[in-house]
Amino acid sequence: MKNDHCITRRGALRFGAGLLGAMAVAPAASAAPPTTVVELFTSQGCSSCPPADEILMEIRNLPGVVALAYHVDYWDYLGWRDTLGGSEFSQRQYDYAKARGDMDVYTPQVIVNGGRHYVGSHKSELMSAVQEASQGPFAAPITLTDGDHDMTITVGAASIEGEAMVWLLPVQARVAVRIERGENAGRTIEYCNVVRRLVPAGMWTGEAASFRLPADAVMAPGSTGCVALLQRGKAGPVLGVAYSGDLNG
């Protein structure tokens, strides 16, 4: 809750320390090729997050948008352990902040195309950012193919600086959670496009390449689809994206 809208991770740690001292491919809503990746960092334990969760529901239906939700775990000490959360998602948010150099980590935070960040509950600003980001194609062509027992990511040749990480992200299109404790106690909140794992598939240096992983090593229980994400470094600008399965529930 940055000011009254989101809370920084560093603020949470300071507060917590004081407290302890006294915690097959299915089509999307549009046939448009993906041009924009919207990543929301959220938490069931954050009272400012439900509006951002609702906005992501709208954003995921926009043409060309791949929307993803990561549930962080650094609010668990407030009294409710996020049932969709994980330390790897908190680490991804921290890696983005480190890559940008501002160390600005909070919820609800949205990152567009691996670059600028926005308060996830500021709808008009976020919609403008998504529209601006969707003006052109990504730098690298990428496809994701589901086989009977494996998943194959194919990346075409493109000119890039340095190396790029290829990620596979199993996604649960829709899940409703009854929250019993914490800031959202008593509420049932519906979440969309929840990332269940972060699976590194390999590094890409600009030459045409393929990456193959066993499907059972990638997909998580409840997953309805999968996203292949190519981005500079570990958490930098998005260079390409593809998906398979259902991301729209």
Side-chain angles (χ1 to χ4, degrees):
M1 301 151 248
K2 198 175 186 180
N3 295 328
D4 60 336
H5 297 288
C6 48
I7 302 176
T8 67
R9 184 182 184 184
R10 284 172 290 176
L13 294 176
R14 288 195 297 267
F15 176 80
L19 187 64
L20 290 174
M23 89 123 217
V25 181
S30 168
T35 59
T36 313
V37 175
V38 177
E39 298 175 89
L40 169 66
F41 292 88
T42 185
S43 173
Q44 295 170 11
C46 165
S47 62
S48 299
C49 287
D53 300 320
E54 292 180 7
I55 292 170
L56 194 71
M57 284 274 194
E58 298 181 43
I59 287 176
R60 73 171 181 171
N61 292 313
L62 296 176
V65 171
V66 173
L68 301 168
Y70 304 90
H71 283 243
V72 299
D73 67 346
Y74 50 80
W75 296 124
D76 288 359
Y77 78 91
L78 291 177
W80 176 255
R81 183 173 182 176
D82 195 308
T83 61
L84 303 170
S87 59
E88 67 270 36
F89 307 133
S90 301
Q91 184 62 49
R92 179 165 176 80
Q93 189 181 22
Y94 178 81
D95 288 341
Y96 266 130
K98 184 177 180 180
R100 292 192 308 267
D102 57 25
M103 301 309 294
D104 205 357
V105 173
Y106 56 89
T107 57
Q109 183 180 48
V110 164
I111 296 173
V112 177
N113 282 354
R116 293 185 61 184
H117 64 95
Y118 305 86
V119 177
S121 55
H122 290 182
K123 183 176 179 179
S124 60
E125 181 183 16
L126 188 53
M127 289 297 191
S128 295
V130 171
Q131 182 176 5
E132 181 180 351
S134 67
Q135 297 307 306
F138 286 117
I142 179 173
T143 60
L144 173 61
T145 304
D146 288 343
D148 290 337
H149 304 290
D150 55 30
M151 309 185 80
T152 302
I153 310 105
T154 302
V155 186
S159 178
I160 66 164
E161 296 180 7
E163 292 184 322
M165 175 70 80
V166 181
W167 294 100
L168 277 175
L169 313 175
V171 172
Q172 189 167 356
R174 191 182 295 266
V175 56
V177 178
R178 174 71 177 178
I179 300 172
E180 302 294 344
R181 295 182 300 278
E183 293 189 349
N184 291 312
R187 300 184 65 174
T188 297
I189 300 177
E190 190 168 49
Y191 299 100
C192 72
N193 292 24
V194 179
V195 176
R196 303 312 310 268
R197 287 178 180 165
L198 286 166
V199 181
M203 299 300 295
W204 178 73
T205 58
E207 298 180 355
S210 292
F211 307 83
R212 181 175 296 175
L213 283 81
D216 58 5
V218 174
M219 301 303 285
S223 301
T224 59
C226 190
V227 172
L229 189 64
L230 177 70
Q231 60 186 145
R232 187 176 300 139
K234 187 177 182 181
V238 173
L239 304 176
V241 65
Y243 64 91
S244 65
D246 182 11
L247 299 188
N248 291 79

